[in-house]
Amino acid sequence: MFRVFGAHRMTGFSYELTIELAGIPVRLLFRYEEACKGFLPYYEKHPGDPEDAETQVYLTEDDWEGLIRHGFSRCAETEASYLSARCSDYLLTKDRCIIHAAAFRDDSGAWLITAGPGVGKSTQLRTLEALYPGTFSVICGDRPVLELTEGGTILVHPSPWNGKEHWGGADAAPLFGIISLKRGDENRTALLRTKEAVIPVYQALIHTAVTKE
């Protein structure tokens, strides 16, 4: 299901897997077997043809040095997680990107819940299911892919980065709304004006600091 590189291939990478992200084949290179294996459940539903992939996505030594400076360890978990930023850099050239949000859909379309780590995206999904069982289905529990179509519609797609709960599997759907979640002393909802929403939404987008897109 994934291939082991020979010594003549790129130095340091032992595994490769080509997946499809929002219709784009992306060829991933891994140093760690466990990181590669973590993508297999998604690969089974969204395989990509290596011959169709235009580029290879992987963590460079500069990436590792930066991650280590920020307190991350050199391990499979770090590799698998940070590949989302590298993939998003590439997808930005294809009118697509990855966003840190939980994505679910109902009859109206797709919804995103954006929030910082530990604020309660998963709790909100559990609450919705408890209050309205069978009404919602999860597209991706953590980092879905957004696609801007030629017609101006934004589609929300699943991705292999579906959170510690591994929630996901629902089909892509047009974006209907974004919920920016914050902790508070009381339950309250308010409609955000555009200028109020720009920063929370931009901060949720995943990319590295060097991509001009």
Side-chain angles (χ1 to χ4, degrees):
M1 304 184 80
F2 57 89
R3 294 190 288 180
V4 180
F5 280 176
H8 64 286
R9 306 298 283 274
M10 293 184 65
T11 303
F13 298 100
S14 300
Y15 309 94
E16 72 170 49
L17 193 68
T18 302
I19 61 174
E20 196 168 272
L21 294 172
I24 303 296
V26 180
R27 189 176 179 187
L28 304 175
L29 308 185
F30 300 87
R31 286 176 168 84
Y32 295 96
E33 181 180 359
E34 288 304 311
C36 187
K37 284 183 176 179
F39 286 73
L40 291 180
Y42 180 87
Y43 168 80
E44 291 175 358
K45 293 184 177 180
H46 306 278
D49 187 341
E51 300 301 323
D52 292 335
E54 296 180 358
T55 190
Q56 298 168 330
V57 178
Y58 55 90
L59 270 62
T60 67
E61 277 304 313
D62 287 342
D63 290 332
W64 282 112
E65 290 175 8
L67 288 164
I68 290 169
R69 283 198 304 270
H70 285 84
F72 295 92
S73 59
R74 189 184 283 265
C75 64
E77 183 179 2
T78 300
E79 181 175 48
S81 180
Y82 196 72
L83 273 171
S84 65
R86 277 295 176 199
C87 284
S88 196
D89 282 357
Y90 173 61
L91 291 173
L92 278 164
T93 68
K94 306 290 184 180
D95 294 323
R96 295 157 172 82
C97 69
I98 298 174
I99 186 169
H100 183 211
F104 64 94
R105 59 176 295 168
D106 60 11
D107 291 340
S108 59
W111 293 83
L112 301 177
I113 303 177
T114 67
V119 172
K121 297 188 298 295
S122 299
T123 299
Q124 292 300 311
L125 290 178
R126 291 191 187 95
T127 301
L128 286 170
E129 179 58 30
L131 292 174
Y132 310 101
T135 303
F136 304 94
S137 55
V138 178
I139 298 173
C140 187
D142 190 18
R143 294 176 236 183
V145 182
L146 305 183
E147 175 192 0
L148 178 61
T149 68
E150 292 184 359
T153 298
I154 296 177
L155 296 179
V156 182
H157 296 265
S159 88
W161 298 279
N162 52 12
K164 59 182 181 296
E165 296 88 0
H166 303 295
W167 288 341
D171 293 335
L175 178 62
F176 187 78
I178 301 176
I179 301 165
S180 179
L181 190 65
K182 294 184 178 181
R183 291 192 183 277
D185 296 326
E186 61 181 354
N187 291 325
R188 185 173 64 89
T189 60
L191 184 64
L192 291 180
R193 293 175 296 172
T194 300
K195 67 178 183 179
E196 296 172 319
V198 166
I199 296 302
V201 172
Y202 178 76
Q203 289 177 331
L205 298 177
I206 294 175
H207 52 80
T208 70
V210 298
T211 176
K212 65 182 181 181
E213 284 81 11

